[in-house]
Amino acid sequence: MDSVEQPAAEQHEGIDIIGNVPFEVAIRILSHLRSAIQLSTLALLNSRFKQLANDDLLWKELCRLKWRKKRHMTHELQPLVDYSHLISSLTIKEMKGVLGLRHVNYKNLLEKSEFVHSVLTTLPDHAPKGKWSGKWKSSYIVAMLDSKRTKMTTDELCSLDWNFHFLGHWLHPPQYNRSKFNRDKTYESDILERAMHWRWYDGRIQVDQYDALSIGRTAEWGWTLTNEQALLISIDDQFTGKEEDDYRKRAIADAVSKSRIYQYRYANQEA
């Protein structure tokens, strides 16, 4: 029986093009992928694809794309990563960035060994548990996990500026005022004539005699503090204009939808 010549497309089916090009070329090809799921799936194919898919250059770009619209995110290695198995891959500049985001004073550190020790011994208690390959892949995963966290530290609370809203004014345009929680437990705001005092209360934040504020997150990874009558939204100065207005309106509408007082009030008004 005569053999039948296979079409050219079938002859080349199964040829591993990426597996047969130099590593740098393969990375350039894979840089067109824009999904962590795609890279993670690719890593399951074989050992070479695992090495390629875990490359820091690819994950660094994914971090940039994912974080560029998120609040309080800079394109730096994340401070909540456990770098104990990755420490040799960090430069001194990167270690300074990690320590700075952890609010650790590194000005008196001189030797690389001192920076290494400081990075390894200052991992925050609330850091997600786990170790992953690559400093940028680890940063991507930890940032995603941390975006759901609703427990703040005092350092985080006091390092941010806040925008205050009365929920009763939710139909009005967002107000641009600044509020600040200070480390001396005073609370200041543009709309106050005098400073108030704040304290931690059962995992929430209480200002003077007012109802305690519950901590929440937005879809854009910002922070919110809410009770039945008020909302504070963390301010990120890199976002301005209509984009920021829309963001605050969404946060206000979400807070109002969860407030029993205003649900009842506006339901009666509509009736």
Side-chain angles (χ1 to χ4, degrees), residues 105 150 189 192 208 230 260:
N105 185 356
T150 55
S189 177
L192 295 176
D208 274 10
R260 290 170 296 179

Side-chain angles (χ1 to χ4, degrees), residues 71 101 114 164:
R71 265 52 183 177
L101 291 173
E114 295 176 306
F164 179 89

Side-chain angles (χ1 to χ4, degrees), residues 26-35 38 58 61-62 65:
I27 291 296
R28 178 69 64 87
I29 295 171
L30 296 181
S31 67
H32 294 283
L33 297 179
R34 292 293 185 264
S35 166
Q38 290 175 328
L58 298 178
E61 177 61 10
L62 281 187
L65 294 172

Side-chain angles (χ1 to χ4, degrees), residues 35-131:
S35 166
I37 294 177
Q38 290 175 328
L39 282 182
S40 298
T41 302
L42 196 65
L44 300 175
L45 295 178
N46 56 46
S47 58
R48 176 171 169 80
F49 275 101
K50 181 177 181 179
Q51 181 185 17
L52 289 166
N54 286 328
D55 189 81
D56 272 331
L57 289 176
L58 298 178
W59 285 95
K60 184 176 183 180
E61 177 61 10
L62 281 187
C63 288
R64 185 188 70 81
L65 294 172
K66 185 69 176 180
W67 299 347
R68 61 184 175 178
K69 296 293 185 180
K70 303 302 183 184
R71 265 52 183 177
H72 316 298
M73 294 297 295
T74 58
H75 196 207
E76 299 177 84
L77 294 178
Q78 288 302 288
L80 299 183
V81 172
D82 179 356
Y83 290 105
S84 58
H85 64 302
L86 300 167
I87 196 66
S88 62
S89 68
L90 269 64
T91 65
I92 290 182
K93 181 179 179 181
E94 289 172 333
M95 287 189 276
K96 286 181 178 180
V98 169
L99 293 173
L101 291 173
R102 291 179 182 175
H103 305 285
V104 175
N105 185 356
Y106 58 83
K107 301 301 182 182
N108 294 325
L109 303 182
L110 299 176
E111 301 294 331
K112 184 174 181 177
S113 59
E114 295 176 306
F115 284 98
V116 168
H117 179 266
S118 187
V119 169
L120 296 180
T121 57
T122 59
L123 181 66
D125 293 336
H126 60 275
K129 306 301 181 184
K131 294 182 178 181

Side-chain angles (χ1 to χ4, degrees), residues 155-180:
D155 281 337
E156 288 172 322
L157 177 68
C158 296
S159 67
L160 297 171
D161 284 356
W162 299 82
N163 188 252
F164 179 89
H165 298 272
F166 285 113
L167 295 185
H169 298 164
W170 74 284
L171 292 175
H172 299 286
Q175 301 167 325
Y176 289 90
N177 62 74
R178 284 185 180 254
S179 300
K180 185 74 176 177

Side-chain angles (χ1 to χ4, degrees), residues 127-157:
K129 306 301 181 184
K131 294 182 178 181
W132 300 271
S133 58
K135 56 191 178 185
W136 282 103
K137 181 178 180 179
S138 297
S139 288
Y140 184 97
I141 294 172
V142 165
M144 293 293 293
L145 293 173
D146 190 60
S147 70
K148 307 300 182 182
R149 175 170 57 93
T150 55
K151 293 183 178 179
M152 294 191 81
T153 67
T154 298
D155 281 337
E156 288 172 322
L157 177 68

